[in-house]
Amino acid sequence: MSTANSYFLGQFPTTRLRRHRRFEWMRQLVAETVLSSNDLIWPTFVREETLSPTIKGMPGVVRFTVTELVEAAGKAQELGIKALALFPVIPIEKRCEHAMEALNAENVLLQAIRALKRSYPHLGIISDPALDSFTSHGHDGLIKGGDDVANDETVQALCKHALLQAEAGADIVAPSDMMDGRVGAIRHYLDAHGYQDVAIMSYAAKYASAFYNPFREALGSDQCLGVKNKKTYQMDPANACEALREVALDISEGADSVMVKPGLPYLDIIHQVKQKFMVPTFAFHVSGEYAMLKAASTQGIVDYEKTLFEIMLAFKRAGADGILSYGACDVAKLLKK
Ligand code: PBG
């Protein structure tokens, strides 16, 4: 070895992080984050029979009838999915300003909860008391005078809706509406009616995001909302401290777990929430995120399965305990391979 060469090698590091990357088994041995089907929640749409099953922006996602949903839920459970989140699709004719259909005990959401619970007592059912499926204006709450959502009137309606969902068999109610004080109000209302064991997963830090478009198309609430947006109740994407305040409030009001939404653009929020509050924290990989992945993979730009898996792992690495994703069943299938 020439002097010049040994001098050169002497500069080399004794610490070589590549040593642990040499073989698959070695990489697995030192992996810091593990993804399992225990972490997955599958968001689903349940429709009345007369409506169309397809959602333009979301290939691979359908609006199920109650019967179809029950069948699909069975398959999801076999794949290891732990829980389903349900979102109802209601015919436009049944929507009104006061979201009356939300209080109809035979509405498609409550039917679906009962049918799922009957068929799979051990599959978790998460339902959302927000009113956007049921309002003619597409907002998550009630409008009173002007065109803004009235906070306290909405909270009262949410309580009633949450109780109906608990009575139907929901294990977790997950309010996505971002009204102030709704977690505390729902907690008291459920407790007062004997449902103290029904948990609350709060959509605590939910941003006014452009990534929800395919979801609104799936619900048909996009037509109702028109050019309007939800910026007076959902959070400004510019804010992080405010997200922590939202989470702190919801925990103090009795939230059992909290959610950050959307997912991937908000990993910093997920990380901070988990570090600061140490409560069960969920990420919602939302419709627009799923749609982008599908669109890019359909064009051969990225591999759907690999990118999806990487994204799920990123949520866990950031601190999420669980993830809601339209790709949950695809991930569960990959984990079984
Ligand atoms: C509304 C609600 C939305 C989502 C879940 N619940 C959309 C919105 O706030 O307009 C979005 C989910 C997704 O995009 O996948 N209560």
Side-chain angles (χ1 to χ4, degrees):
M1 205 181 281
S2 75
T3 327
N5 209 4
S6 63
Y7 174 77
F8 181 58
L9 286 173
Q11 299 299 302
F12 266 49
T14 46
T15 303
R16 290 169 185 268
L17 295 183
R18 284 186 57 192
R19 282 189 199 116
H20 274 172
R21 297 179 197 143
R22 291 177 70 207
F23 313 112
E24 182 71 13
W25 66 264
M26 226 172 202
R27 292 189 289 270
Q28 285 167 339
L29 207 58
V30 299
E32 298 171 42
T33 308
V34 183
L35 180 68
S36 113
S37 61
N38 293 341
D39 309 319
L40 300 171
I41 297 170
W42 186 31
T44 55
F45 298 105
V46 57
R47 71 171 213 267
E48 288 203 8
E49 308 255 347
T50 54
L51 299 169
S52 143
T54 49
I55 308 163
K56 195 172 72 234
M58 300 177 78
V61 177
V62 291
R63 301 158 160 147
F64 293 119
T65 61
V66 173
T67 314
E68 290 164 354
L69 178 64
V70 169
E71 199 187 319
K75 289 186 190 146
Q77 195 177 29
E78 275 167 30
L79 286 169
I81 299 287
K82 296 296 147 182
L84 257 56
L86 306 186
F87 299 100
V89 189
I90 306 292
I92 298 280
E93 328 67 90
K94 290 196 183 168
R95 300 181 199 195
C96 75
E97 218 177 310
H98 308 290
M100 294 310 288
E101 178 65 8
L103 300 176
N104 170 6
E106 292 309 315
N107 75 34
V108 75
L109 171 63
L110 299 172
Q111 279 185 38
I113 297 173
R114 288 192 291 263
L116 287 167
K117 267 293 146 196
R118 259 198 312 273
S119 305
Y120 318 106
H122 304 296
L123 179 67
I125 302 300
I126 304 174
S127 73
D128 182 356
L131 302 176
D132 51 330
S133 292
F134 302 98
T135 51
S136 47
H137 43 68
H139 279 297
D140 289 20
L142 304 172
I143 307 283
K144 210 185 107 194
D147 60 0
D148 196 11
V149 171
N151 195 88
D152 301 3
E153 286 80 357
T154 296
V155 169
Q156 282 181 21
L158 295 172
C159 287
K160 290 185 197 150
H161 200 192
L163 178 61
L164 285 169
Q165 294 173 6
E167 286 169 350
D171 305 289
I172 301 180
V173 293
S176 74
D177 52 278
M178 291 296 281
M179 295 303 117
D180 286 321
R182 92 281 203 214
V183 171
I186 292 173
R187 182 71 277 157
H188 283 124
Y189 202 71
L190 290 179
D191 290 357
H193 289 85
Y195 289 95
Q196 51 273 63
D197 292 333
V198 169
I200 299 180
M201 174 190 286
S202 164
Y203 285 62
K206 176 172 175 183
Y207 288 87
S209 171
F211 286 101
Y212 305 151
N213 271 19
F215 176 96
R216 290 181 190 166
E217 184 216 321
L219 248 56
S221 62
D222 54 344
Q223 304 162 37
C224 303
L225 265 180
V227 294
K228 295 193 291 292
N229 59 57
K230 302 189 177 180
K231 289 182 186 178
T232 66
Y233 44 106
Q234 299 178 347
M235 282 184 49
D236 182 346
N239 298 352
C241 296
E242 190 188 349
L244 301 179
R245 294 184 71 196
E246 282 284 4
V247 169
L249 270 172
D250 286 2
I251 294 170
S252 74
E253 289 176 27
D256 301 283
S257 63
V258 294
M259 192 202 295
V260 175
K261 178 183 173 194
L264 209 52
Y266 297 85
L267 286 185
D268 57 325
I269 309 296
I270 296 169
H271 185 71
Q272 289 196 61
V273 166
K274 187 63 190 181
Q275 294 271 312
K276 286 211 164 56
F277 298 102
M278 295 180 290
V279 297
T281 302
F282 293 89
F284 201 140
H285 180 231
V286 302
S287 58
E289 300 178 73
Y290 172 87
M292 289 197 306
L293 215 54
K294 277 284 175 184
S297 64
T298 309
Q299 291 184 51
I301 297 168
V302 297
D303 180 286
Y304 170 71
E305 292 184 347
K306 289 185 181 138
T307 45
L308 181 65
F309 198 88
E310 187 176 328
I311 290 167
M312 297 298 116
L313 206 57
F315 284 132
K316 288 221 65 189
R317 193 192 61 236
D321 298 289
I323 305 142
L324 293 93
S325 174
Y326 299 96
C329 291
D330 299 329
V331 177
K333 264 182 223 151
L334 287 172
L335 286 165
K336 281 215 167 205
K337 271 188 197 163

